[in-house]
Amino acid sequence: QVQLVESGGGLVQAGGSLRLSCAASGVISSINAMGWYRQGPGPQRDLVATITRDSTNYADSVKGRFTISRDNANNTVYLQMNNLKPEDTAVYFCYLKLGDILVRHHWGKGTLVTVPS
């Protein structure tokens, strides 16, 4: 059973930094991508950043402030968040895309990041 466990969320003042971690366990197929999405007041989860073997993708709103990285040996993805803004306040969900022919998507339970105004 695939599980994603996030950590590192919390409350920081504007301009501060946090580092999120997500460790995947129970993975036996190839990892196509890992990343982070976030959900604010509404129901929609928006892409923050994703990472494949040799590429990264960032939402325009976080470019230059957030950095995604991964530790392939431990199936762990990180999100370094610098210069945090109030609009970054959200629940951050770890994302995992598995498989070659049969593609499967997995989500963590989320970790809350709060940046007061």
Side-chain angles (χ1 to χ4, degrees):
Q1 185 72 28
V2 174
Q3 289 187 325
L4 301 175
V5 180
E6 302 109 326
S7 62
L11 187 150
V12 294
Q13 300 299 312
S17 298
L18 282 175
R19 190 189 191 208
L20 305 182
S21 299
C22 173
S25 62
V27 178
I28 61 174
S29 57
S30 61
I31 297 178
N32 295 322
M34 297 187 74
W36 295 91
Y37 287 68
R38 65 187 181 186
Q39 182 177 358
Q44 183 177 350
R45 292 183 185 181
D46 298 317
L47 179 142
V48 178
T50 58
I51 185 168
T52 61
R53 180 180 179 180
D54 56 3
S55 65
T56 57
N57 184 41
Y58 295 92
D60 288 340
S61 60
V62 307
K63 287 182 179 178
R65 299 188 297 119
F66 292 8
T67 302
I68 190 170
S69 61
R70 69 181 184 181
D71 180 350
N72 292 332
N74 297 110
N75 291 333
T76 302
V77 64
Y78 305 93
L79 185 68
Q80 178 66 45
M81 305 184 294
N82 297 326
N83 191 24
L84 283 160
K85 303 176 180 180
E87 51 262 43
D88 295 319
T89 296
V91 177
Y92 285 70
F93 294 90
C94 183
Y95 164 77
L96 175 66
K97 183 180 180 181
L98 297 177
D100 294 319
I101 298 176
L102 178 60
V103 178
R104 291 158 290 166
H105 305 272
H106 299 274
W107 297 92
K109 293 183 178 180
T111 184
L112 178 63
V113 173
T114 302
V115 185
S117 298

